[in-house]
């Protein structure tokens, strides 16, 4: 039995027993697989091998062969031993078998006992079960009966309850008008609205029949409520919250609130328009309050309000711009902009979404920019007025235009005007307007750009005013397209000189001054991209004005000489020089010439500074592209020429005179013009004399013609020298050149004798004196 | 301010002179004709030739000419034919001459007079040949009239084909024949430039309000011409737009007397003035495409158009002529009778 706790050898024994049992039960099917589990079969030998003969347990065990093998192998002693051993084993096996049998038997007995016990227990249960079933059935029937008996009563109770609720509602509705009235009296509109909306479905269902009266009454009441609410909404004195509530209530009453909103906003718009008309009657503070109120009252009206606010300010900036068209002072502009800016910030607190500051900044920028450009154009106008305005004045009455005054005026206009403008514009920086620091750099740029443009325009204007043709001037390309802008009436020549001097003045005084001022207060301003450099380039402007000045100066000289040239041309082309009569007096033409030159002198004296009186110097000619010198290589050249010429003819009179001239002092005719009285006058005279020479060269005269020219030139000598202080030599030379030309072009060149010459000249002088003495 | 003279000087003219002309019909040499202007002496016509080495001016011929020469033109198709306009005292005349065969025994022979153009009633100003080659007509301009002559040099016959007066109010002083149009002649009037159509002998077109001293057609571009003017120096015109000049050049310190287009290099203009200088200009006439005037172009255009100013002269210069044989060479004649030939090569390469 397993319950017998055997020592380890017993365990071994039990195992063997189980093996045996197993081998018994599975003998046929599992003979091979059982073998490994047996300890003797561990060697797993084939039956034929000698050692396998030992395994008694294997089915292939051959007892006889084992016996014979054993007998052969072992001696007697061994056999005896084997015998003993075997007998012991057999005995062991025997006991094992006995034990197995016993054990099985034991189990069988206990199983039988259990079955017996079970049988006896089950017998009593049947009756208990039947009892239980009967009891449950009775309980069920009893509960059913109770239920049916109480059903009717419960139904009744429920019905009663419903009617009571209905009655209560009816009561509420009947009470509604009075309750509403009470609410109206108490101004508890919220309650009223709540009541009414509660009752509303009923009114909708039964309003036409049972509760007609009631409905009418409550609707009346609620209309009053609506009216009151509207009043409340419209009245500005009510607190904003109350008004907002009113709107909410009205909305709950399905009242068309949008109409209200639009009407209110229209009112506001009117109000804003009025604000512009009557200027300061309604303060922006109030308006901003209104804005806030509406914003709260109508949360969805923001867009409209933004539009309104933007409209308001754009109108105001437009107004500013309108005002700007007339010239206004920076201070005034700043004041205006300041006011608007304050208003903007007030409104901005209420309506940040309107982006008013950005808009305002933009508008301020453009206003200031406009202001600056207008200021500059105004300044230009002033300057041109100072120059040209005097012209019209002179046209009206005075013949003699006081050029000096014009020059001084225009100088002052240019200098003072630009400085004033700068000072004025600087106020943009002084002002403590919150807005401006942001714009500082921009303004700086604008001012610089403004000056740049201003001076460029001024120069253009000068050139235009002067009426010189436009194609060549560096800025005149605009006219290149074909519109030759001819100024309607050319300026008097004197004004050209004024312009020239003004250009010089601007170059030398105004621009440095302005540059200084700009550096002092308008420096920086790097908003422009750096590659463009600063907006105001004084160097460029200086260059512009320098060239303009020179151009105008040359133009002046040109105009003057042209005028004289016309006179001279007439003088030299009209008479028949070959049949010229003997000279009786100095020709009238000389008077005209001198008169013109005197006019030049008067103009020049008024405007140009007195130059340092210089003796004639050779180096004067250096440095001017248009200078010309006669006779630059006196000797070498001529000799060169002589040797080269392959026709060595007898020396002619011509060559002789030429050679003689070669050794005279070298003489410049076309020196660089300076901004001095002397330089301009002498240039004009030199050009005129040169023209005379050229005119003479084109004619052929008889002796008298030559003598006439000789006389005229001789007469001119003194007054011309009087006009030109420093360049006597040149005048002498040129007069002689004219004489020479006449000599060359004369068929019979015999000069007048000196006494006759003197006599005629003094006669002319006397005559002139008489003329000037006699009253005009 | 050229320090030393770069030009080649010919000093053979011993009298004052105004006229120099390129001998266009001489294909082998750079030759010029120059005529003197001497009231009292016998005048000369010099045939000047640039030596093959190009550094010397040689006198190829010297011919006496009775009267002082105010205008001289070389026949564009026959190197030995030339025309002169001359005065002597009160008389005036114009002739076509033939240079005689140069014979060794006489070194200053007389010119053979082919025809005398003597139908003029007023002072003759200039004789015009059609500049580009053989054409059997001549135009002469006197103070009042324009004449068109049919000329037959071999038979020594010249006939007036047509004649038109400009009226007493106008004074003609010169002109130029359009190389692009044989029927168009520009005549310089008192205060305008008149373009005559030779077929109808009518004034077809005019540039008004311009006191012009000299005019020259652009040989490369039709309708373009340059004028030397009293007020404005040099102006370039497109005859299709006679109101507005294309370009203005400052000209000279004193009068701008003459202006000549280079026969080969377009835009190269030579001008001579009474301030004793010859100026070389480079002008691009952008008449074809004024639309591409970008600001950059404008900037570049501000480059001084004056390439060089030749100042090595001692008196006013009235005569300039480009050589058609070597267009980089020009000759200038100053009043003192000095012929200077200069090469403009350095300035051409520069552009």
């Amino acid at each position: 039995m397993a319950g017998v706790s055997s020592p380890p050898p017993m365990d071994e024994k039990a195992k063997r027993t189980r093996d045996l049992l197993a081998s018994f039960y599975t003998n046929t099917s599992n003979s091979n697989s059982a073998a490994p589990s047996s300890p003797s079969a561990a060697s797993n030998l084939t039956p034929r091998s000698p050692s396998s003969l030992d395994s008694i347990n294997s089915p292939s065990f051959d007892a006889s062969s084992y016996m014979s093998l054993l007998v052969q192998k072992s001696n007697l002693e061994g056999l005896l031993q084997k015998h003993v051993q075997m007998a012991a084993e057999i005995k062991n096996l025997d006991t094992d078998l006995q034990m197995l049998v016993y054990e099985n038997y034991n189990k069988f007995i206990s199983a039988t006992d259990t079955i017996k016990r079970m049988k006896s227990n089950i017998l009593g249960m049947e009756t208990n079960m039947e009892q239980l079933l009967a009891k449950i059935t009775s309980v069920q029937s009893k509960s059913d009966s109770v239920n049916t008996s109480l059903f009717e009563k419960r139904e009744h109770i429920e019905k009663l309850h419903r009617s009571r609720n209905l009655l209560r509602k009816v009561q509420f509705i009947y009470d509604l008008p009075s309750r509403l009235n009470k609410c109206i009296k108490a101004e508890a509109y919220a309650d009223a609205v709540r009541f009414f909306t509660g009752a509303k479905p009923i009114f909708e269902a039964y309003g036409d029949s049972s509760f007609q009266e009631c409905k009418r009454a409550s609707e009346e009441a609620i209309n009053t409520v609506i009216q009151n609410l509207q009043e409340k909404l419209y009245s500005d004195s009510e607190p904003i919250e109350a008004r907002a509530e009113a709107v909410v209530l009205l909305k709950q009453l399905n009242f068309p609130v949008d109409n209200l909103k639009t009407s209110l906003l229209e009112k506001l718009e009117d109000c804003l328009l009025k604000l512009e008309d009557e200027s300061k009657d309604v303060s922006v503070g109030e308006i901003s309050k209104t804005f806030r109120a509406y914003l709260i009252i109508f949360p969805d009206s923001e867009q409209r309000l933004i539009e309104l606010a933007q409209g308001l300010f754009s109108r105001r900036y437009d107004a500013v711009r309108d005002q700007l068209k007339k010239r206004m002072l920076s201070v005034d502009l700043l004041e205006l902009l300041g006011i608007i800016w304050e208003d903007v910030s007030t409104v901005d607190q209420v309506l940040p979404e309107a982006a008013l500051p950005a808009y305002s900044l933009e508008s301020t920028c453009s206003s200031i920019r406009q202001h600056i450009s207008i200021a500059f154009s105004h300044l230009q106008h002033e300057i041109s007025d100072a120059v040209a305005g005097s012209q019209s004045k002179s046209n009206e009455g005075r013949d003699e235009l006081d050029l000096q005054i014009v020059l001084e005026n225009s100088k002052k206009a240019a200098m003072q005007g630009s400085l004033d403008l700068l000072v004025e514009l600087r106020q943009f920086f002084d002002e403590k307007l919150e807005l401006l620091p942001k714009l500082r750099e921009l303004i700086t740029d604008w001012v610089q750009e403004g000056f740049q443009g201003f001076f460029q325009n001024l120069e253009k204007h000068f050139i235009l005013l002067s009426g010189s043709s436009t194609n060549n001037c560096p800025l005149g390309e605009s006219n290149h397209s074909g519109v030759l802008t001819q100024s309607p009436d050319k300026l008097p020549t004197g004004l050209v000189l004024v312009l020239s001097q003004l250009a010089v003045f601007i170059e030398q005084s105004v621009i440095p001054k302005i540059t200084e001022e700009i550096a002092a207060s308008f420096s920086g301003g790097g908003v422009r991209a750096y590659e463009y450099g600063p907006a105001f380039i004084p160097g460029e402007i200086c260059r512009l004005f320098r060239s303009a000045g020179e151009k105008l100066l040359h133009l002046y000289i040109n105009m003057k000489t042209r005028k004289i040239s016309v006179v001279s041309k007439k003088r030299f082309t009209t008479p028949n020089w070959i049949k010229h009569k003997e000279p009786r007096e100095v020709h009238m033409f000389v008077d005209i010439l001198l008169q013109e030159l005197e006019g030049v002198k008067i103009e020049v004296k008024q405007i140009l500074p007195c130059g340092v009186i210089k003796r004639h110097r050779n180096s004067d000619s250096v440095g001017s592209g248009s200078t010309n010198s006669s006779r630059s290589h006196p000797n070498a050249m001529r000799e060169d020429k002589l040797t080269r010429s392959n026709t060595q003819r007898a020396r002619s009179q011509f060559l002789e005179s030429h050679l003689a001239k070669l050794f005279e002092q070298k003489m410049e005719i076309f020196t660089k013009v300076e901004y001095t009285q002397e330089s301009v006058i002498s240039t004009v005279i030199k050009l005129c004399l040169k023209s005379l020479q050229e005119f003479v060269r084109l004619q052929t005269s008889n002796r008298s013609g030559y003598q006439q020219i000789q006389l005229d030139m001789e007469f001119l000598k003194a007054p011309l020298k009087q006009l030109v202080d420093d360049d006597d030599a040149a005048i002498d030379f040129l007069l002689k050149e004219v004489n020479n030309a006449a000599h060359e072009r004369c068929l019979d060149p015999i000069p007048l004798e000196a006494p006759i010459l003197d006599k005629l000249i003094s006669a002319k002088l006397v005559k002139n004196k008489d003329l000037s003495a006699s009253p005009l | 301010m050229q320090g030393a003279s770069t030009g080649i000087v010919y000093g053979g003219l011993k009298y004052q002179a105004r006229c120099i002309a390129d001998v266009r019909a001489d294909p082998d040499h750079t030759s010029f004709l120059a005529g003197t202007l001497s009231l009292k002496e016998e005048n000369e016509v010099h045939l000047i030739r640039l030596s093959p080495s190009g550094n010397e001016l040689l006198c190829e011929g010297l011919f006496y000419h009775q009267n002082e020469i105010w205008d001289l033109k070389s026949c564009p198709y026959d190197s030995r034919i030339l025309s002169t306009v001359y005065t002597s005292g009160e008389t005036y005349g114009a002739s076509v001459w033939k240079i005689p065969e140069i014979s060794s025994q006489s070194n200053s022979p007389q010119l053979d007079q082919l025809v005398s153009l003597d139908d003029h009633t007023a002072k003759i100003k200039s004789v015009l040949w059609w500049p580009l080659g053989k054409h059997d007509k001549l135009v002469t301009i006197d103070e009042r009239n324009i004449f068109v002559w049919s000329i037959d040099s071999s038979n020594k016959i010249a006939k007036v084909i047509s004649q038109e007066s400009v009226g007493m109010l106008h004074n003609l002083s010169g002109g130029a024949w359009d190389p692009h149009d044989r029927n168009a002649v520009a005549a310089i009037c008192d205060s305008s430039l008149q373009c005559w159509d030779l077929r109808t002998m009518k004034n077809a077109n005019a540039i008004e309000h311009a006191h012009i001293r000299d005019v020259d057609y652009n040989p490369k571009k039709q309708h373009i011409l340059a004028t030397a003017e009293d007020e404005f120096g040099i102006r370039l015109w497109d005859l299709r737009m006679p109101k507005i000049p294309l370009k203005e050049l400052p000209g000279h310190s004193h009068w701008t007397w003459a202006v000549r287009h280079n026969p080969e290099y377009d835009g190269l203009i030579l001008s001579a003035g009474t301030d004793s200088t010859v100026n070389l200009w480079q002008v691009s006439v952008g008449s074809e495409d004024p639309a591409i005037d970008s600001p950059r172009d404008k900037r570049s255009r501000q480059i001084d158009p004056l390439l060089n100013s030749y100042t090595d002269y001692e008196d006013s210069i009235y005569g300039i002529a480009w050589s058609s044989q070597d267009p980089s060479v020009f000759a200038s004649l100053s009043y003192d009778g000095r012929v200077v030939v200069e090469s403009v090569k350095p300035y051409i390469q520069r552009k």
Side-chain angles (χ1 to χ4, degrees), chain A residues 469 626 641 649 654 694, chain B residues 14 44 248 253 316 318 338:
Chain A
S469 126
S626 58
K641 220 153 83 170
R649 298 183 95 207
F654 161 73
E694 294 296 335
Chain B
K14 287 168 298 297
E44 300 162 353
E248 285 182 11
S253 312
S316 307
Y318 302 111
R338 206 156 69 105

Side-chain angles (χ1 to χ4, degrees), chain A residues 395-579:
Chain A
N395 287 349
E396 282 162 18
R398 298 186 309 162
D399 290 337
E400 216 30 67
L401 188 59
D402 200 341
L403 295 174
Q404 199 167 0
I405 291 170
V406 175
L407 178 63
E408 285 313 314
N409 282 347
S410 43
K411 266 184 180 176
K412 216 193 292 170
M415 182 60 123
Q416 207 51 46
S418 341
L419 287 182
D420 285 351
L421 189 61
L422 261 180
V423 168
E424 208 191 307
L425 293 177
R426 205 181 299 143
Q427 282 165 349
F428 282 116
F429 295 160
D430 299 342
E431 198 71 13
K432 296 282 174 282
L433 195 50
E434 179 196 346
L435 191 62
L436 288 174
K438 299 178 196 167
L439 301 179
R440 194 185 170 98
E441 294 204 325
L442 275 176
I443 292 177
T444 306
D445 276 344
W446 292 336
V447 170
Q448 291 199 4
E449 269 170 27
F451 269 109
Q452 181 87 3
F454 162 66
F455 283 122
Q456 282 170 351
N457 282 335
L458 195 61
E459 193 260 1
K460 237 185 263 178
H461 189 68
F462 279 3
I463 300 287
L464 195 70
L465 263 186
S466 69
S468 85
S469 126
T470 46
N471 259 19
N472 248 356
C473 69
L475 284 163
E477 267 102 353
S478 51
N479 297 322
H480 187 76
S481 51
V483 207
L484 189 69
T485 44
Q486 291 253 287
S487 64
D489 44 341
K490 289 187 176 180
L491 280 184
T493 47
L495 285 182
V496 174
L497 197 59
V498 170
L499 282 178
S500 155
Q501 198 55 25
L502 192 56
V504 174
F505 175 73
I506 287 173
E507 183 223 328
Q508 289 176 348
S509 312
V510 178
I511 290 174
K513 186 82 182 152
I514 295 293
T515 314
E516 211 174 278
E517 291 290 322
I518 282 182
S521 45
F522 287 96
S523 58
V527 181
R528 275 161 66 103
Y530 274 105
E531 62 252 43
Y532 294 119
F536 181 61
I537 310 159
E540 191 182 302
I541 300 294
C542 276
R543 213 163 40 241
L544 213 59
F545 273 95
R546 197 177 313 131
S547 77
E550 272 169 24
K551 197 169 191 163
L552 290 167
L553 186 65
H554 281 126
L555 182 70
Y556 174 74
I557 291 171
N558 201 357
M559 285 165 91
K560 280 295 168 195
T561 46
R562 208 183 306 145
K563 211 165 163 190
I564 297 169
S565 171
V566 169
V567 178
S568 322
K569 188 173 179 185
K570 200 144 241 161
R571 162 72 182 128
F572 283 99
T573 49
T574 338
N576 187 343
W577 288 94
I578 290 180
K579 291 178 178 160

Side-chain angles (χ1 to χ4, degrees), chain A residues 31-217:
Chain A
S31 57
N32 277 337
S33 64
S37 63
S38 69
S40 55
S43 53
N44 200 13
L45 299 171
T46 52
R48 225 147 288 172
S49 71
S51 58
S52 73
L53 296 173
D54 285 345
S55 55
I56 294 168
N57 289 334
S58 85
S60 57
F61 181 70
D62 190 350
S64 57
S65 60
Y66 177 74
M67 203 53 213
S68 62
L69 196 65
L70 196 66
V71 171
Q72 277 170 5
K73 265 193 349 194
S74 322
N75 52 5
L76 184 64
E77 217 168 327
L79 281 174
L80 281 174
Q81 232 170 12
K82 197 75 184 181
H83 169 72
V84 175
Q85 190 191 345
M86 218 173 244
E89 278 182 1
I90 288 167
K91 212 165 186 182
N92 259 350
L93 282 172
D94 204 30
T95 45
D96 281 354
L97 274 174
Q98 271 179 8
M99 249 171 65
L100 275 173
V101 170
Y102 177 75
E103 242 171 66
N104 279 344
Y105 187 65
N106 226 2
K107 277 178 190 171
F108 179 71
I109 286 169
S110 70
T112 317
D113 283 353
T114 311
I115 289 165
K116 255 183 205 159
R117 221 169 37 243
M118 275 170 68
K119 210 172 187 178
S120 63
N121 283 349
I122 286 171
L123 274 178
M125 220 147 82
E126 189 82 7
T127 51
N128 282 347
M129 281 307 232
E130 270 165 13
Q131 264 178 4
L132 182 64
L133 184 65
K135 274 177 188 161
I136 286 173
T137 324
S138 78
V139 165
Q140 192 182 8
S141 66
K142 291 234 171 81
S143 110
D144 279 353
S145 71
V146 166
N147 208 8
T148 43
S149 62
L150 284 178
F151 177 73
E152 261 181 58
K153 279 182 185 170
R154 200 176 62 216
E155 284 277 280
H156 189 63
I157 288 168
E158 276 173 5
K159 216 175 183 176
L160 283 176
H161 181 70
R162 274 202 298 274
S163 1
R164 183 174 161 270
N165 276 351
L166 198 62
L167 281 173
R168 198 186 279 161
K169 276 185 195 166
V170 170
Q171 177 66 42
F172 171 76
I173 286 166
Y174 277 116
D175 284 350
L176 190 60
S178 61
R179 201 179 291 201
L180 287 177
N181 284 334
K182 224 182 276 170
C183 286
I184 290 167
K185 265 176 209 156
E187 295 198 339
Y189 299 116
D191 290 341
V193 169
R194 190 154 43 81
F195 293 148
F196 183 73
T197 44
K200 213 172 182 183
I202 296 166
F203 284 139
E204 270 164 18
Y206 309 104
D208 297 337
S209 51
S210 12
F211 300 113
Q212 206 164 9
E213 196 67 12
C214 202
K215 185 191 175 191
R216 204 179 40 77

